Amino acid sequence: MSRDVELQCRCGKVHGWLRDASPGGVNRAICYCSDCQAFLHHLGRADLLDEHGGSDIVQVAPSSISFDRGSELIAAVRLTPKGLYRWYASCCKTPLGNTVKPQLPFVGIVTALFQHAPGARPCDEVFGPSRGAVYGQFAIGEPPPGSTKPNVRLLAGMIWKFLGWKLGGKAWPHPFFDRASGNPKHPVTVLSRAERDALRPLCGPRPASA
Ligand SMILES: [Zn+2]
Ligand SMILES: [Zn+2]
């Protein structure tokens, strides 16, 4: 069963929709990588990390996501000059989605974005349970089972989905990039080396603050 799911930043100024969501139409996994941890610390939203520093992420097709309110508040940060574009709502620092360039068509969304709307359904119901965990070597404390080795099944599922979205015409319209120019539609900042390094002690596997 697929359904349209409301998405909303914590303060409600940025609002949109994920169309035709279903467990079979997305990839859901927990990412423990140090970059995902650093991003949420940078936003001041470490509250969205699980106890091991994991981010609960669903990957969806770009054309399935649209914003109908507050798009002027959308911005992105890149942890390094070539790093992922990590989009967020500047009003309340809610992460909106991680992307690379639109040639690789996917948006990886921290599932909290779907929990702020009134009447939100549990993520397990909408997306199905997480299919695995990756980059457990950066997890805080004991890495979750199976998370430290490359997850071939998960990776194959991702590539299969990305290919399907590309061939199925779901790469455009993209919520964060302009189709004609291929450029970001919203402001993007890149962290300096010093800013990136300052986040490292906060992240796994051994955060200095713990
Ligand atoms: Zn907000
Ligand atoms: Zn990650």
Side-chain angles (χ1 to χ4, degrees):
M1 171 182 171
S2 73
R3 50 158 68 94
D4 292 344
V5 184
E6 237 178 325
L7 48 98
Q8 188 169 297
C9 67
R10 186 170 55 172
C11 78
K13 286 184 182 148
V14 177
H15 178 274
W17 291 91
L18 171 65
R19 303 291 178 189
D20 287 332
S22 69
V26 304
N27 297 307
R28 184 179 178 195
I30 312 290
C31 187
Y32 292 97
C33 86
S34 56
D35 282 354
C36 283
Q37 295 183 51
F39 169 55
L40 290 179
H41 281 290
H42 173 70
L43 291 185
R45 292 307 309 274
D47 60 296
L48 298 178
L49 296 167
D50 72 19
E51 57 178 336
H52 297 292
S55 298
D56 182 8
I57 299 210
V58 283
Q59 293 175 325
V60 304
S63 69
S64 65
I65 289 278
S66 59
F67 294 96
D68 55 11
R69 265 200 333 258
S71 58
E72 72 281 1
L73 297 167
I74 297 174
V77 64
R78 306 179 83 177
L79 301 182
T80 60
K82 290 188 175 168
L84 291 186
Y85 294 84
R86 293 174 179 272
W87 304 93
Y88 64 94
S90 59
C91 40
C92 59
K93 313 293 188 201
T94 299
L96 298 175
N98 301 327
T99 71
V100 292
K101 292 263 188 184
Q103 288 83 346
L104 188 57
F106 77 91
V107 182
I109 302 176
V110 178
T111 55
L113 185 61
F114 304 105
Q115 296 301 299
H116 299 304
R121 320 281 313 180
C123 285
D124 280 3
E125 190 182 310
V126 180
F127 303 117
S130 177
R131 292 175 199 211
V134 291
Y135 294 111
Q137 58 271 40
F138 299 102
I140 295 166
E142 186 67 23
S147 65
T148 55
K149 292 195 198 111
N151 187 326
V152 178
R153 240 179 102 232
L154 204 61
L155 194 66
M158 278 171 57
I159 292 168
W160 183 249
K161 283 262 170 25
F162 296 170
L163 204 63
W165 292 337
K166 189 155 193 142
L167 300 177
K170 294 184 175 176
W172 300 100
H174 197 295
F176 305 122
F177 289 90
D178 175 64
R179 183 165 197 171
S181 66
N183 292 329
K185 288 196 280 194
H186 308 282
V188 178
T189 54
V190 181
L191 293 193
S192 69
R193 186 71 169 270
E195 287 171 318
R196 173 68 188 95
D197 286 343
L199 296 165
R200 291 187 197 283
L202 301 172
C203 303
R206 278 175 293 280
S209 55

